[in-house]
Amino acid sequence: MIKCLQLFAVALLLLVLENGLAVFIPRYWLPDIGMIFVAGLGLRARFVPGLWLSCAFGFVSDCLTGSFRGEHMLIYLVLFAIAYIGNRQVNFSGVVRFAAVVCALTFLEGLGFIFFGYVFRETGLLPISFHYGWWVRLFVNVACAPWILDTFMRMLRRGDSDTSLRSSESFLSKELNR
Amino acid sequence: MCGLVLLLSDRRASRDGIGRDDSFLPGIVFEIMAPIESVVTAPFSFGHRMWMDYFALVRVREENTSLHVEIDQLQEENLQLREALVASGNLDRIVEMRSGFETPMRAAEVVGQDLSIWFRSVLLDRGQAAGIYSGMPVITTGGLVGLVTATSPHAAKVMLLQDRQSAIDGIVQRSRARGIVHGHGDDALVFELVVQGDDVLPGDVVISSGLGGVYPKGLRIGEVIEVSDPGGGLLRQARLSPAVDFGGLEQVFVLLKRSVTMDLLYGMEGDRPAGADGKSATSKQ
């Protein structure tokens, strides 16, 4: 439980730090911490704590962004479920495979927002001018995901008494040493 | 299920205009995150200001000289216009009208940005305690910024004009051509539903028309950068460069007077606590 809260706090802290960096860097060029966090949970965490953490992070994202409440929450839950179930069927270990998973999830996340925008906000389909930002974000997510996930995994490695989350090894170091 | 229920209830609230001023859990998130974001963002903002104010001042001398020339020209033009107004006997009447339009404002710092590429909003460091409520327009010295969409006692969330949900009735200042300014989620704004024969040219300034009652009339929205004719029908559209640098927002002003339309949507004046009507405001427009 404590480990879950720690992980959640680290994710929030990264989100806030990223907010500070947004003063210098255009937001398209910043990774989507929430999505990567959820992808990491799907691949490394147990089902129930992972589900709760995805849900909680989705709720915070809903509060801090312009989305309807529940929008991020639902999308993150679906992404978590896809990553979790997919990881049981296909071996997602390895940096390249993980990057591919993040790429697919970022794309699905975008489709989710387009769907909710179309159905609930009547904002219409995505304007062509918007596609640039989406592709840039996808690229940045893929490039940054292993390092961000590594930060989360380092958090988990500290102390093994809490078994609510399963991994105990640095993701990146483990994968790069393969 | 929980997410779906929240989504449906929020959508209903948004449609019925119930607003987000009294939500407990989001309020807690605002109250916790706003000060943290304020503290963490401060050094980054300081660094950015240092860079912009001291290191990025190359060629500022030449720019200063050309601006002085421009100021002289504008002062001359201003003087001529004043003379024309006085000659027509309208100046006193205009001054009298303007004092009637003064709206109390509250300054607030931007402490957080929406990092999602799907939405455009910012988090302010002031909320209900400062008299800020959902439905109040937000401006800067440059022009219109957006609308307050959610508040807690000490924080508020503002939907920017660039958000895809944002739509505002605008007019071209020069020709009075009317249209709707839509956010498309990216940096530019789109001035839509302009009638084919209306006079809109690149360089024209678009201001709020006041129609719809959400935003006051005459606030600067942006400048036309290109006019297009999609489909060749009865309507045209133009791309606008926003009057406000949304990426560099640091301080904004919230107009504390909510329009009648917004009062109907978000709750009547009487629903708001005393002191929320802007009487305690420190600055005037």
Side-chain angles (χ1 to χ4, degrees), chain A residues 92-109:
Chain A
F92 283 151
S93 57
V95 173
V96 176
R97 285 180 193 171
F98 177 66
V101 171
V102 170
C103 181
L105 292 183
T106 306
F107 188 74
L108 286 175
E109 183 196 29

Side-chain angles (χ1 to χ4, degrees), chain B residues 68-142:
Chain B
H68 270 296
V69 172
E70 199 175 329
I71 285 170
D72 289 343
Q73 286 171 352
L74 289 172
Q75 278 178 340
E76 179 62 30
E77 193 182 331
N78 195 16
L79 197 68
Q80 286 173 6
L81 290 170
R82 277 171 178 276
E83 283 297 314
L85 274 173
V86 172
S88 65
N90 281 337
L91 188 58
D92 288 344
R93 200 146 49 90
I94 289 171
V95 169
E96 196 179 316
M97 274 172 61
R98 187 136 185 89
S99 63
F101 285 124
E102 273 186 352
T103 307
M105 295 191 289
R106 176 76 70 194
E109 294 283 336
V110 174
V111 293
Q113 286 189 49
D114 190 340
L115 293 177
S116 164
I117 59 168
W118 305 98
F119 311 98
R120 300 303 304 261
S121 63
V122 290
L123 195 63
L124 305 184
D125 68 342
R126 286 186 165 179
Q128 293 163 9
I132 297 172
Y133 288 87
S134 297
M136 290 178 171
V138 180
I139 61 170
T140 63
T141 48

Side-chain angles (χ1 to χ4, degrees), chain A residues 16 18-20 23-24 27 63 65-69 110 113 116 120-122 124-125 129-130 137, chain B residues 6-7 10-11 15 20 23 30 37 40 44 48 113-120 157 164-165 185-186:
Chain A
V16 173
E18 194 181 38
N19 221 309
V23 174
F24 295 103
R27 61 204 183 101
C63 292
T65 66
S67 65
F68 281 151
R69 255 169 261 148
F113 283 122
F116 282 125
F120 291 105
R121 283 190 299 274
E122 288 112 26
L125 292 171
S129 57
F130 193 85
R137 177 56 70 90
Chain B
L6 273 171
L7 184 61
D10 210 33
R11 184 204 182 202
R15 280 192 157 181
R20 292 181 180 179
S23 305
F30 278 172
E37 288 199 358
V40 174
F44 290 99
H48 186 246
Q113 286 189 49
D114 190 340
L115 293 177
S116 164
I117 59 168
W118 305 98
F119 311 98
R120 300 303 304 261
K157 188 162 69 175
R164 290 170 66 214
Q165 293 177 76
D186 55 0

Side-chain angles (χ1 to χ4, degrees), chain A residues 35-114:
Chain A
M35 209 288 300
I36 295 168
F37 177 61
V38 169
L41 287 174
L43 301 188
R44 288 283 179 269
R46 290 189 180 188
F47 188 74
V48 175
L51 204 69
W52 275 110
L53 283 174
S54 304
C55 195
F57 206 83
F59 181 75
V60 172
S61 299
D62 282 328
C63 292
L64 295 178
T65 66
S67 65
F68 281 151
R69 255 169 261 148
E71 200 169 342
H72 274 94
M73 197 192 274
L74 270 176
I75 288 174
Y76 283 176
L77 283 178
V78 171
L79 294 182
F80 169 76
I82 289 171
Y84 185 85
I85 295 166
N87 193 37
R88 300 198 149 228
Q89 307 301 324
V90 186
N91 181 16
F92 283 151
S93 57
V95 173
V96 176
R97 285 180 193 171
F98 177 66
V101 171
V102 170
C103 181
L105 292 183
T106 306
F107 188 74
L108 286 175
E109 183 196 29
L111 289 183
F113 283 122
I114 292 172

